Amino acid sequence: MTAVNIGTPLRLPAVVDVSDRPAGADLLDRFGRTARDLRISVTEKCSLRCTYCMPEEGLPAIARDALLTPAEIGRLAGIAHHRLGVREVRFTGGEPLMRADLAEILAATRAAAPGLAIALTTNGIGLDKRLPALLAAGLGRVNISLDTVDREHFARLTRRDRLPAVLDGIRAARAAGLDPVKVNAVLMRETLAGAADLLAWSIDAGVHLRFIEQMPLDADGVWSREALIDAEELLAVLGRRFVLEPIDREDPSAPAELWRVAGTGATVGVIASVTRSFCAECDRTRLTATGSVAPCLFGDDETPLAPLLRGGADDEALAVAWRTAMWGKQAGHGMDAAGFQRPERSMGAIGG
Ligand code: SAM
Ligand code: SF4
């Protein structure tokens, strides 16, 4: 088993040489990319234990006072938007709904950065009850994770028998008028058999289903490149029940390849995060739940902002530290390169 580490920082980045960084306010890196899309993890806790993400016992607990508060998150989101050119923030985790103060986090973000689009990635458990407060606090978009509509299979995959609660959350998001509601399913051998049922369910529920290739970010360290399922295999399975027509990409940098499901008005997508790396177009910057900048999911280096944040630094000092961290961002995940080493942190530990 791979050690799971959510300590902060896991590894401080090597000193980043910014002498050749062009003067500019935004989150540039050495490979010409500019981050506009911020992911903020708000907790390591989760109501599920998906096998491709979490260890069975859950992640080691983060001390309560080490977690960023709503006010701190709001301040960092404001800096990201006003000083660093970030346009969207997505709250994630762990499971963000495990934070009782999630609505306060959203409200603080909206107050600090009214122009910033606010989204949430969640497993949907409890979303039906929390949605009114979250919408009132500024939630604009939601992605919900669901790999199967087979209750037994769901319980095996997530180690929890909570499928009905997830479906309630998804239905509530649609009923509240959120559109689109995107449903993310991790593409694995075990999900293939139920993939057509999941698509049929999604069409019925009016949600946009996207399969995501499984990345080597499982806490148990059992991922293997050979076992990876690609779009071709998925399409062969879905093609037995549906007629799928490829849709030309309007935006070549969009992560999902899309197919129209003939006769339904629906689409289905595949995000080929492993086989078709979009590292060259990556526009993401991440903050961990304890306030460290993580430039890449596949790098173990983190730049802690909490000491500055809590030590009286002004907004520009925080912005400089964030820009410096992003200037040092690695080129890509390198999964196809010889000698690729998976990161130590699992998906739930950094925030997917
Ligand atoms: N708990 C929330 C959820 O499940 O949506 C948010 C956090 S979760 C880490 C964010 C996303 O990462 C989910 O859509 C999940 O399916 C995806 N994910 C987790 N582990 C993954 C892996 N090894 N490969 C690809 N996607 C993964
Ligand atoms: Fe929890 Fe989301 Fe990871 Fe599943 S994918 S264990 S719901 S954090």
Side-chain angles (χ1 to χ4, degrees), residues 46 52-53 92-96 121-123 143 145 147 184 186 212-218 347-348 351-352:
C46 189
Y52 48 75
C53 176
T92 180
E95 173 46 49
T121 296
T122 171
N123 64 26
N143 285 7
S145 305
D147 305 314
N184 295 340
V186 177
I212 304 174
E213 285 177 353
Q214 188 189 357
M215 295 185 275
L217 295 169
D218 55 315
M347 190 65 134

Side-chain angles (χ1 to χ4, degrees), residues 36 73-74 86 102 135 146 185 189 207 223 280 285 289 294 334:
R36 303 275 180 217
I73 292 172
V86 164
L102 185 61
L135 290 169
L146 173 67
R189 177 128 340 258
V207 298
W223 180 94
T285 181

